[in-house]
Amino acid sequence: MDAFIAQYIDAYYLRIMIFIGINIIMALGLNLITGVTGQLSMGHAGFMSLGAYTAAIISLHYDAPFFLAILAGAAMAASFGFIIGIPTLRLDGDDLAMVTIGFAEIIRVFFLNFEPGGKAVGLSGIPQYTDFATVWLIVIVVIILNAKLLYSRVGRSLFAIRENEIAAQSCGINTTRMKILAFTVGSFLGGLGGGLYAHYMYYINPQDFGFMKSIEILNMVVLGGMGSIPGTVLGAVILTLAPEMLRIVAEYRLLFYGGMLVILMIFRPNGLLGDVRIYDLKKRWGKKR
Amino acid sequence: MNFKRNKKVVLILCALMIFSLLAGCGGNAAPDKAAGDTIKLGFLGAKTGSVANYGIPGEKGMKMAIDELNAGKGILGKKVEGIYEDNKGESSEIANITTKYITKDKVVALVGDPCTGLTKVAADIAQENKVVIFSAGATGADVVEIGDYVFRNTLLDTVAAPAVVDWMINKKGWKNLAVITSGNNGYSTALTPIFKQAIAEKGGQIVLEDTVNDGETDFTAQVTKLKNAKPDALVFTGYYTEAALIMNEAKKKNLDIVLVGGDGLYGQDLAKLGGEAVQEKVIFYAGFSTDQPSPETAKFLEAYRAKYQEEPDMFSAQFYDAIMILAQAMETAKSTDPSVFKNELANLKDYPGVSGVTTFGADREPIKSPVCLLTVKGDKFPALLEKIPVQAK
Amino acid sequence: MFWEQLINGLTLGSSYALIALGYTMVYGIVQLINFAHGEIYMFGAFAGLFLVLSGVNVFIALLGAMVFCMLLGMLVERIAYRPLRGKSSRLSALISAIGVSIFLSTLMALYRGTNTTRYPEIIGNSTFSVGSIQISSLQVIILLVSALLMVGLQLLIQKTRIGKAMRACSQDLEASSLMGINVNRVISATFAIGSALAAAGGMMVGIYYNAVWPYMGTMAGLKAFAAAVLGGIGSVPGAMIGGLSLGVMEIMGVAYLSSSYKDAIAFAILILVLFIRPQGIMGQKISKKV
């Protein structure tokens, strides 16, 4: 499949498109936690690294099939997501943000001292199983499942928690279960993205999954539009392409990036496509025609 | 809320973004036409970030070598073109840049990276795409094992560290040693076991093992521990910035100690940051010294000083040599095809480079002698302390 | 060794405390995690460096850096936060703060390069012994200046008019504005004071460790935020206690546990504290109003 695509697309662009796919998967996971349910998580890179390391170690040491490896990585991240979901019962907003930052930092330090993970040297020689077709197939499946989830009763309950937790509770929503569910599914997707990333890069290193990586994923969600699937996809596309396109102005690109975030928040506090859902789009553009 | 106004803003923002994307594409697509007439070489190294002290001089050495080639006949009568991107010392960035060099710029060889970990990332990609990668700085383990397109021209840690430990224990009588590692630095965590093994073999004692992190400035707790452990000398396996800060703290705590380390300490900032505290107190090894130069080195020194008005360092010399060795291999093979000239490269014997005489062994590992022990002395950085000859394996 | 490590911890902790104060004051009034605060601290350190290099007396340089950062803090608030206030969610303001943080650190990196810069030794250092322990005079100076600033802050908050207004605003922003308090001015003042303290922290860190670099604010900011949460975010004495105890915990972790887990230890303790006492050490429990 990839050989076929490679005849028409330059390998460099193919690579960027694979990264876009991986970022979409991870950003959709965070969107579920932060965008939809409103639980500010600033440690998504922690889930990503859990998925990446678990999948890579399984591939390297046990010679497991690719799908098993990335699923194991995602499951590992999901189980940690479940554990992190529990404090959300007691903490809100900024304390939760601190706990997630702390969690991601602890994971990073753990991998820096983790012998089977190569410590600070990182893991190298991971087989490159991830290819264009696999990534985008997973992206499509994730988008469809995600959309189904958001339009279901569960999805509406999650939105309700974001808007007003107490009101949601008094409407009979089991907020505890819902919040833990959002965390578990969200971190599963983070871990899935991490596993794909590891199997594309040949090499992973604990420093790749630092605080700035978490912020990068959070920016995708917020820039595109909190709680919106098309928005999150758009955010992931823009923020993956931007650094590549801005390579000419290399040194100034972070300056531009920071400034853009501020300006965007002032004019579009809910992101480019804040709360736009696929069916809203259909309704809006359909009427005009 | 004024919905209409908001919509306009979105449209303008979208338009801006699309415009910037298009602008980016336009800029990127421009070259590529004259692919047949020039030989392209890709530079791997950091020009910004925490390892920029290795990349910047490396780039200068590489540029100088390419200018010299072009002033002559080029390679096989073709012009040589270097492409210089900044990988910032990040592994995802170097992976992106390596792919760009190979698939978009169509380079025949990659030169760099000065860091072992980053070289490995690039080497996997280069090997996969059958492009030669020639590292001018990777000293750690498991680099050329990646494949037959991977080469390096450096003094290996596994050769140099035991020689230095032998010098410390048997010549200086420093038997009780403290070892500090930089925990989030791959170079350092890989070098520490080599030092520890050498210390055990030569009969030294490790009285304290400790960790710092790159990017931190507070080393008070570690230095206090060090002071209480009273070692004869300190082995620090990390980079120059942290070494300078540790020595600053030691001076503040009235601790008089010598710090010994690898060529990760080879950066101008060691002297600038350390000031008084590192004067003749920091010793590190490297495969290159501007003192007692060979005729080739002397010529290089003169040309470099004339061109850049500054002293070259190990990385400028190694990048310079890397280009010249690649050029020679292509000339003898009469081909710019990596799969052809890589065989010539593997047969390199007694190449009189500016960073010493190089031979590639049967395992394609470089054999280089001697080990230069360098230190900071007065305004001169680095100053040669001693040359230790080593036997080839 | 214990007492020496304790002093090391208090020195490190006092720099955390000075930064944490800014976080907690801003949070107490507008409920915003000002992520750009670490960068203000970094700018403070560099502003001090320029003044010192141009030959100004250390204490005047300290004042200069504080004034510079006051203005910078107010400017940031005016440009990046005020337009958002009341109109949008707190999350948008947080992202805006992250944007400012990236912008400021890149600006400094472009201007000065990303290398670590040496801070000149402006205050001569000497060590003296108290019993069996050795203390460096720099540590004493840093502890004294921090203590002085913190006492000054307490007086400002408790005794002056603007302090009274700040306390009122932190209780209820809307009610305060109804009582005739110029809320915008109070918020501006809060940013100014917090930034000035961060600048002082930055410059003292520069003097003590002899090194500054453009990205020094990120980790310091994160740790200081952790300190503020630990002490109970929104509480001024809490930030002081949180900062000092975080510094001591970190140093003791390196001294007696494992230095390779340094950052993890600090964050693990923080998470534990939040589990047991979500409002932090000094924070008050606020039940949510429906």
Side-chain angles (χ1 to χ4, degrees):
Chain A
M1 180 73 189
D2 269 47
F4 173 74
I5 298 168
Q7 288 176 345
Y8 299 97
I9 306 174
D10 189 295
Y12 173 66
Y13 292 112
L14 201 65
R15 179 184 179 81
I16 294 172
M17 279 159 79
I18 288 175
F19 278 128
I20 290 177
I22 294 173
N23 282 337
I24 288 177
I25 296 170
M26 292 191 297
L28 282 174
L30 185 63
N31 181 43
L32 212 56
I33 302 171
T34 304
V36 177
T37 321
Q39 306 296 311
L40 180 55
S41 162
M42 301 180 78
H44 213 56
F47 298 121
M48 182 185 172
S49 68
L50 277 169
Y53 268 95
T54 311
I57 288 171
I58 286 178
S59 270
L60 278 173
H61 293 321
Y62 302 101
D63 223 16
F66 177 46
F67 271 95
L68 212 65
I70 55 169
L71 274 183
M76 175 67 91
S79 51
F80 273 87
F82 179 78
I83 297 169
I84 290 297
I86 295 172
T88 57
L89 310 177
R90 292 199 64 176
L91 304 172
D92 63 332
D94 312 298
D95 290 350
L96 180 66
M98 193 62 243
V99 168
T100 50
I101 293 173
F103 159 75
E105 279 296 304
I106 290 173
I107 295 285
R108 186 179 65 82
V109 174
F110 169 76
F111 280 122
L112 275 176
N113 292 288
F114 184 53
E115 200 70 60
K119 298 175 116 180
V121 181
L123 265 182
S124 57
I126 305 163
Q128 195 187 35
Y129 292 139
T130 304
D131 57 18
F132 181 81
T134 329
V135 168
W136 281 89
L137 195 76
I138 295 175
V139 169
I140 292 166
V141 171
V142 166
I143 289 179
I144 292 172
L145 290 181
N146 219 319
K148 276 214 156 29
L149 178 76
L150 291 196
Y151 302 139
S152 70
R153 198 187 157 80
V154 174
R156 285 176 218 282
S157 314
L158 296 179
F159 277 114
I161 293 176
R162 179 185 75 179
E163 294 307 328
N164 190 330
E165 201 177 324
I166 295 167
Q169 204 160 16
S170 54
C171 290
I173 293 171
N174 185 345
T175 52
T176 308
R177 236 185 85 200
M178 287 300 152
K179 283 202 277 184
I180 291 183
L181 178 91
F183 257 98
T184 315
V185 178
S187 47
F188 181 87
L189 292 178
L192 190 66
L196 290 169
Y197 175 85
H199 283 91
Y200 189 67
M201 288 294 283
Y202 299 101
Y203 172 86
I204 48 174
N205 178 319
Q207 300 296 94
D208 293 347
F209 309 106
F211 180 59
M212 281 319 284
K213 188 82 192 176
S214 299
I215 293 295
E216 214 180 294
I217 306 172
L218 183 66
N219 282 343
M220 290 174 190
V221 175
V222 179
L223 178 99
M226 305 261 296
S228 148
I229 295 177
T232 306
V233 172
L234 181 71
V237 171
I238 291 175
L239 288 188
T240 320
L241 277 179
E244 294 297 329
M245 298 308 168
L246 292 171
R247 204 174 279 286
I248 326 155
V249 284
E251 284 159 34
Y252 296 90
R253 75 190 203 203
L254 277 175
L255 206 64
F256 177 83
Y257 185 87
M260 188 180 76
L261 284 180
V262 175
I263 292 167
L264 201 88
M265 283 302 116
I266 291 173
F267 290 107
R268 259 322 263 184
N270 291 324
L272 287 176
L273 298 175
D275 277 332
V276 173
R277 300 174 219 175
I278 295 170
Y279 80 36
D280 289 342
L281 274 180
K282 258 192 229 155
K283 249 202 297 200
R284 192 179 293 168
W285 298 108
K287 253 183 203 166
K288 265 186 190 163
R289 251 178 233 151
Chain B
M1 273 241 19
N2 190 337
F3 185 68
K4 267 193 181 149
R5 201 182 121 236
N6 258 343
K7 211 168 171 183
K8 242 183 221 163
V9 172
V10 177
L11 280 178
I12 292 169
L13 276 174
C14 284
L16 267 176
M17 263 160 201
I18 291 168
F19 175 74
S20 64
L21 295 188
L22 285 177
C25 290
N28 278 344
D32 229 18
K33 269 180 194 159
D37 316 328
T38 55
I39 295 171
K40 291 188 180 171
L41 301 172
F43 162 81
L44 296 175
K47 292 192 250 180
T48 57
S50 57
V51 288
N53 268 207
Y54 311 144
I56 293 167
E59 185 190 11
K60 287 181 180 162
M62 177 164 166
K63 277 190 173 148
M64 195 170 108
I66 289 179
D67 286 352
E68 274 179 30
L69 284 174
N70 284 338
K73 286 190 305 231
I75 301 177
L76 298 168
K78 290 181 184 175
K79 275 235 172 296
V80 187
E81 188 193 336
I83 307 166
Y84 308 91
E85 299 271 12
D86 171 18
N87 67 32
K88 298 190 287 183
E90 291 169 11
S91 54
S92 54
E93 202 62 28
I94 196 174
N96 268 340
I97 287 170
T98 307
T99 317
K100 178 187 162 283
Y101 280 155
I102 295 174
T103 59
K104 243 175 118 188
D105 301 322
K106 310 261 186 290
V107 297
V108 297
L110 302 156
V111 183
D113 184 287
C115 304
T116 307
L118 296 173
T119 301
K120 284 193 205 167
V121 180
D124 275 319
I125 300 171
Q127 177 70 26
E128 177 105 355
N129 290 290
K130 301 205 171 6
V131 171
V132 165
I133 175 165
F134 197 114
S135 175
T139 53
D142 303 328
V143 173
V144 296
E145 285 83 347
I146 288 170
D148 54 347
Y149 285 85
V150 186
F151 295 88
R152 60 173 161 183
N153 178 26
T154 55
L155 178 67
L156 303 185
D157 289 333
T158 45
V159 174
V164 172
V165 170
D166 186 60
W167 176 83
M168 285 164 73
I169 291 173
N170 294 327
K171 190 147 181 207
K172 287 282 175 182
W174 296 334
K175 278 211 163 60
N176 297 322
L177 301 168
V179 179
I180 295 186
T181 313
S182 181
N184 59 353
N185 176 333
Y187 165 78
S188 180
T189 48
L191 184 55
T192 299
I194 300 174
F195 262 106
K196 272 166 68 181
Q197 197 193 339
I199 292 170
E201 278 169 8
K202 312 274 177 199
Q205 277 289 325
I206 298 177
V207 293
L208 175 75
E209 256 198 275
D210 217 339
T211 319
V212 296
N213 279 316
D214 280 11
E216 279 176 1
T217 48
D218 176 76
F219 302 134
T220 49
Q222 287 91 341
V223 172
T224 304
K225 272 162 92 178
L226 195 65
K227 204 175 165 184
N228 281 279
K230 297 192 179 65
D232 298 330
L234 163 67
V235 172
F236 175 65
T237 56
Y239 288 158
Y240 49 88
T241 306
E242 285 69 31
L245 296 182
I246 290 174
M247 292 311 281
N248 270 336
E249 188 60 44
K251 184 172 170 252
K252 226 166 267 157
K253 292 221 182 315
N254 268 342
L255 172 63
D256 186 29
I257 197 166
V258 174
L259 184 149
V260 181
D263 54 8
L265 302 184
Y266 203 131
Q268 298 283 347
D269 283 1
L270 177 68
K272 279 190 212 152
L273 277 172
E276 284 269 297
V278 296
Q279 282 292 326
E280 295 182 58
K281 288 275 171 54
V282 175
I283 299 170
F284 55 96
Y285 63 75
F288 173 75
S289 161
T290 51
D291 295 274
Q292 308 165 13
S294 68
E296 288 83 10
T297 316
K299 217 176 101 200
F300 167 76
L301 285 179
E302 204 176 304
Y304 194 96
R305 283 177 191 141
K307 191 171 165 85
Y308 297 112
Q309 276 84 46
E310 62 176 39
E311 282 291 303
D313 74 2
M314 177 178 73
F315 295 100
S316 28
Q318 285 179 349
F319 269 85
Y320 178 91
D321 273 351
I323 300 291
M324 290 307 186
I325 292 174
L326 282 169
Q328 190 194 316
M330 284 185 229
E331 291 281 357
T332 11
K334 296 203 172 40
S335 167
T336 57
D337 183 353
S339 61
V340 178
F341 74 77
K342 76 166 202 304
N343 300 325
E344 283 305 322
L345 216 48
N347 291 332
L348 189 79
K349 280 220 157 48
D350 298 325
Y351 176 83
V354 299
S355 66
V357 177
T358 305
T359 297
F360 285 126
D363 52 357
R364 278 178 296 111
E365 286 283 31
I367 301 162
K368 265 188 152 180
S369 178
V371 176
C372 302
L373 277 185
L374 305 172
T375 186
V376 189
K377 201 171 189 177
D379 293 334
K380 192 164 157 45
F381 181 87
L384 182 69
L385 193 70
E386 208 170 323
K387 283 189 178 177
I388 324 173
V390 283
Q391 286 94 39
K393 288 181 284 183
Chain C
M1 185 160 91
F2 173 81
W3 293 104
E4 277 175 43
Q5 296 288 24
L6 185 70
I7 290 170
N8 289 339
L10 289 174
T11 316
L12 179 67
S14 61
S15 76
Y16 288 158
L18 285 177
I19 315 173
L21 283 169
Y23 272 108
T24 220
M25 284 166 66
V26 167
Y27 189 89
I29 294 181
V30 286
Q31 276 83 49
L32 164 76
I33 308 173
N34 180 13
F35 255 99
H37 198 59
E39 272 58 43
I40 303 264
Y41 151 85
M42 179 267 294
F43 263 77
F46 273 98
L49 177 68
F50 294 138
L51 287 173
V52 165
L53 286 182
S54 59
V56 182
N57 174 286
V58 192
F59 289 96
I60 296 173
L62 183 68
L63 276 180
M66 286 169 78
V67 170
F68 173 78
C69 283
M70 257 184 188
L71 297 175
L72 183 68
M74 283 157 76
L75 185 75
V76 167
E77 191 269 335
R78 185 72 195 80
I79 293 175
Y81 306 146
R82 193 178 293 182
L84 284 154
R85 197 177 305 142
K87 275 200 302 188
S88 54
S89 72
R90 278 164 48 197
L91 201 57
S92 325
L94 181 77
I95 299 294
S96 185
I98 291 171
V100 174
S101 151
I102 296 174
F103 185 87
L104 288 180
S105 57
T106 317
L107 196 68
M108 187 53 86
L110 285 173
Y111 180 52
R112 290 288 306 193
T114 47
N115 296 349
T116 308
T117 310
R118 178 177 172 80
Y119 224 88
E121 284 165 46
I122 9 183
I123 305 178
N125 180 50
S126 56
T127 38
F128 55 88
S129 310
V130 180
S132 65
I133 54 169
Q134 286 195 322
I135 305 170
S136 100
S137 58
L138 262 180
Q139 287 181 318
V140 176
I141 292 175
I142 287 174
L143 286 173
L144 279 179
V145 173
S146 315
L148 212 69
L149 285 170
M150 288 186 216
V151 170
L153 178 70
Q154 270 302 341
L155 287 178
L156 185 94
I157 291 176
Q158 298 299 338
K159 303 283 179 201
T160 63
R161 242 181 107 78
I162 185 85
K164 208 172 184 178
M166 280 159 73
R167 277 183 288 144
C169 284
S170 77
Q171 281 182 3
D172 194 324
L173 207 60
E174 230 164 282
S176 309
S177 81
L178 292 175
M179 293 297 134
I181 294 173
N182 184 343
V183 174
N184 277 338
R185 204 152 82 206
V186 172
I187 293 172
S188 245
T190 311
F191 270 87
I193 295 166
S195 305
L197 291 174
M203 191 169 161
M204 288 196 298
V205 161
I207 294 174
Y208 184 71
Y209 301 113
N210 294 105
V212 284
W213 63 307
Y215 299 120
M216 67 193 265
T218 317
M219 203 52 181
L222 219 55
K223 293 267 178 66
F225 176 46
V229 174
L230 184 67
I233 194 152
S235 146
V236 169
M240 296 177 194
I241 291 169
L244 290 176
S245 47
L246 190 72
V248 172
M249 271 173 348
E250 255 188 22
I251 294 286
M252 290 303 169
V254 174
Y256 297 106
L257 294 169
S258 156
S259 46
S260 33
Y261 286 95
K262 178 182 172 196
D263 289 341
I265 293 169
F267 284 114
I269 292 174
L270 175 81
I271 291 177
L272 271 181
V273 170
L274 285 180
F275 270 132
I276 300 160
R277 216 182 133 78
Q279 68 272 35
I281 300 172
M282 301 284 285
Q284 287 151 341
K285 196 158 194 160
I286 304 160
S287 50
K288 227 180 236 169
K289 284 159 265 183
V290 181

